[in-house]
Amino acid sequence: MWRLMGHKWEERSFYSYRPVRPSDLEILERIHGDIFPIRYESEFFQNVVHGRGIVSWAAVDHSRDDGRSDELIGFVTARVVLAKDSEIVDLLNYNSADTEWSLVYILTLGVIDSYRNLGIASSLILEVIKYASSIPTCQAVYLHVISYNIPAMHLYKKMSFKCIRKLPGFYLIDGQHYDSYLFVYFVKGCRSPCSPLKLLMVVMRYIRIGFQSITAKLWNDERKVGRWSRCKEAHSLI
């Protein structure tokens, strides 16, 4: 937001970020209902506002002069999960499954219409990343994005999240299946074993194994050439 300071226009932020509180319950439920096609149970909201297994941040605008300067204009909710129990354990550093490594999973993120495109969502994501970075055992932040939410995908890519995989039919909304994309942000220098170099090495290894397998099969089949002439219409070499 811009304010006249002396003879210059300067940009000042009147947005701040704090934990979601019990007093936020009603508006938190309302914003979720307005933004998301999925309906969340009352237990979810109670867990958010009371911090039961869920961490959260609320964005508020202190410049409001309508008496609602501490009312939510945006939020993010997340939970800490064990890496070995997550769906991205195969993307983490080797032997992660044998340790107590953890991850932060973003559950919901939203900003009300009149405050969008002002950097609030990015700031909320940064709060999650800072929180994850403060946990000694945390390796990554991850989340799912529904396939038609293109603005969200652009936002996460801008925030250096990596789109790791596509999950067909992940969401079921009003009887219709929608695909999901899995995004991951590795914290504190952690690296996925699926880095370009390692991915190339894995691909080359499988190509080599496949070539060796085909060569061995062809070698064995050469000694059965009589059988191939009789069965070639029913079988293939690979």
Side-chain angles (χ1 to χ4, degrees):
M1 185 173 297
W2 292 87
R3 290 289 186 270
L4 183 61
M5 306 294 292
H7 299 289
K8 296 181 180 179
W9 284 93
E10 294 185 3
E11 188 176 18
R12 291 183 58 192
S13 175
F14 290 88
Y15 310 132
S16 65
Y17 305 90
R18 58 166 176 77
V20 175
R21 301 190 289 242
S23 58
D24 299 317
L25 178 61
E26 182 179 349
I27 189 167
L28 183 69
E29 289 181 323
R30 185 166 73 246
I31 298 175
H32 272 76
D34 291 341
I35 293 177
F36 301 114
I38 298 174
R39 292 294 171 258
Y40 292 86
E41 299 292 334
S42 175
E43 182 182 7
F44 167 76
F45 296 107
Q46 290 293 333
N47 289 339
V48 172
V49 300
H50 292 289
R52 294 196 289 254
I54 296 177
V55 291
S56 62
W57 290 264
V60 296
D61 178 5
H62 292 302
S63 70
R64 296 178 70 167
D65 56 5
D66 55 3
R68 297 188 295 171
S69 61
D70 197 47
E71 184 177 293
L72 269 68
I73 58 173
F75 60 85
V76 62
T77 65
R79 74 166 76 245
V80 178
V81 300
L82 287 177
K84 64 183 181 181
D85 298 331
S86 76
E87 62 189 290
I88 67 167
V89 65
D90 59 311
L91 303 175
L92 304 176
N93 290 333
Y94 295 111
N95 301 322
S96 321
D98 300 327
T99 69
E100 291 304 308
W101 292 119
S102 62
L103 306 166
V104 173
Y105 178 65
I106 295 180
L107 298 165
T108 59
L109 168 70
V111 177
I112 64 175
D113 286 344
S114 57
Y115 283 89
R116 290 182 182 174
N117 300 314
L118 296 175
I120 295 172
S122 298
S123 295
L124 288 165
I125 295 170
L126 284 176
E127 292 293 332
V128 178
I129 291 174
K130 287 191 293 184
Y131 172 75
S133 300
S134 73
I135 302 174
T137 59
C138 186
Q139 284 204 324
V141 177
Y142 76 108
L143 69 146
H144 297 92
V145 179
I146 198 165
S147 56
Y148 59 71
N149 195 346
I150 306 302
M153 287 189 266
H154 286 163
L155 172 63
Y156 288 114
K157 289 178 180 178
K158 184 182 73 173
M159 302 290 294
S160 298
F161 281 72
K162 305 298 182 186
C163 184
I164 300 299
R165 60 174 60 128
K166 180 180 180 180
L167 303 171
F170 182 83
Y171 292 104
L172 178 60
I173 302 173
D174 295 331
Q176 183 173 350
H177 286 280
Y178 295 89
D179 297 341
S180 167
Y181 289 94
L182 182 63
F183 282 80
V184 181
Y185 178 95
F186 294 97
V187 301
K188 294 179 294 192
C190 295
R191 292 290 183 270
S192 165
C194 294
S195 63
L197 178 58
K198 291 182 178 179
L199 181 59
L200 178 60
M201 293 172 63
V202 170
V203 171
M204 293 303 296
R205 180 164 61 87
Y206 279 106
I207 291 176
R208 184 171 63 253
I209 293 172
F211 179 76
Q212 292 172 347
S213 176
I214 293 170
T215 301
K217 182 174 180 63
L218 290 174
W219 173 258
N220 291 332
D221 290 343
E222 281 184 1
R223 293 180 293 179
K224 303 175 183 179
V225 64
R227 291 183 58 192
W228 275 114
S229 63
R230 294 192 299 271
C231 304
K232 62 182 180 181
E233 294 182 357
H235 298 79
S236 61
L237 294 177
I238 302 175

